[in-house]
Amino acid sequence: MSRTKSLQRRLASTVARRTRQLFLHNAVRVILAALVPGVFPADALARTVWRCVLDGTVSLSTAAEPGSECTPQTLDDDAAALPNLWGTMGDFQGTLYQREQDGKTVYGTRKLPGSKPLFGFSVATPAHSPAHAGLGQVGPPRLDLYRSEFRAAARRTGVDEAWLRAIAHAESYFDASAVSEKGARGVMQLMPDVISDYAVENPHSARDSILAGASLLKALDAHYGGDLVRVAAAYNAGIGTVDEYGGVPPYEETRIYVAKVTELYANYRKAMGLVVRPMHLIPAQ
């Protein structure tokens, strides 16, 4: 490689890294008071942001919010992959508030008692790229297949049967013999590590697959505090990937998968005579 091409590649790499850093500045420092002096030290290389969920809404804060389910995330200015703290793709608008909590000044995007509005903001999540969309296609709900298996798994794990069926529909269209290019098997398209973790004797047994899939969904639900968008993304792309990006990863297939499951979940809730539950958390106001 010529010296000129080497320099060009290094420059391109530097530009890409700075672009990622700029997103961090826009998506975190702007939201969490980079425009307000003293919130973060100017020379800080990392900062902790709290992502808080309450009644189906999500907010960001410099400290855990009272009454919300909050998880901390340390953000490094030099991180290779910048997280999407909102959890889904799109443009988000809101207001940055200031409040006193435990004798400290705290900034966040939820209006809590005693909060004072500082300024409005608009944030765009990162651009997306292509990815895997599952084996099943969106079609009419199917309640005729594996009635006892789905009912038993839902009762045993506490996972909504409509949600469990939506995932199975998207994953395999209820095909117990299905095998994906990546080695996922059965109705719930269990990957080899899941098959091992849940001691699944026969991944092509509808009963074993559905129960293991329900158990995995329950674990993901606990990990993500009821955020079904992240649960769906992790079921498709892996928990490590979702945690790395702090939300739905920038893969087109995963975005398609989440959109598909969202539609299917609503359809199955309706078909079962249940009130539709939105998957997406709503930004707090």
Side-chain angles (χ1 to χ4, degrees), residues 131-197:
H132 160 72
L135 299 178
Q137 300 300 316
V138 174
R142 301 192 63 184
L143 301 176
D144 57 321
L145 299 174
Y146 309 123
R147 289 180 181 273
S148 61
E149 289 85 352
F150 278 106
R151 188 179 300 114
R155 287 178 177 174
R156 182 168 175 177
T157 61
V159 172
D160 183 358
E161 183 179 339
W163 176 234
L164 184 57
R165 282 186 173 275
I167 296 294
H169 186 132
E171 287 290 337
S172 71
Y173 200 56
F174 305 99
D175 183 357
S177 64
V179 180
S180 76
E181 294 180 357
K182 296 183 178 180
R185 298 178 178 275
V187 172
M188 301 302 294
Q189 287 293 277
L190 307 177
M191 292 297 289
D193 58 338
V194 175
I195 292 172
S196 175
D197 289 345

Side-chain angles (χ1 to χ4, degrees), residues 47 59 73 75 92 126 132 139 185 201 265 282:
R47 50 191 55 81
S59 59
Q73 183 162 2
L75 305 178
F92 296 97
H132 160 72
R185 298 178 178 275
E201 294 184 4
Y265 184 38
I282 303 170

Side-chain angles (χ1 to χ4, degrees), residues 150 153-154 157-169 171 187-188 190 194 198 209-236 239 257 261 265 279:
F150 278 106
T157 61
V159 172
D160 183 358
E161 183 179 339
W163 176 234
L164 184 57
R165 282 186 173 275
I167 296 294
H169 186 132
E171 287 290 337
V187 172
M188 301 302 294
L190 307 177
V194 175
Y198 289 94
S209 180
I210 293 169
L211 179 56
S215 298
L216 174 58
L217 287 171
K218 180 179 181 180
L220 291 174
D221 186 85
H223 181 74
Y224 293 116
D227 186 339
L228 294 186
V229 169
R230 294 189 182 211
V231 170
Y235 201 100
N236 174 259
I239 190 171
Y257 179 86
V261 169
Y265 184 38
M279 281 177 51

Side-chain angles (χ1 to χ4, degrees), residues 37-92:
V39 176
F40 293 122
D43 58 349
L45 296 178
R47 50 191 55 81
T48 297
V49 175
W50 292 81
R51 184 178 187 273
C52 300
V53 177
L54 176 65
D55 295 333
T57 64
V58 60
S59 59
L60 307 180
S61 179
T62 56
E65 295 177 351
S68 297
E69 291 289 334
C70 299
T71 54
Q73 183 162 2
T74 300
L75 305 178
D76 188 341
D77 281 352
D78 294 324
L82 298 176
N84 170 8
L85 297 178
W86 296 106
T88 56
M89 295 292 179
D91 297 328
F92 296 97

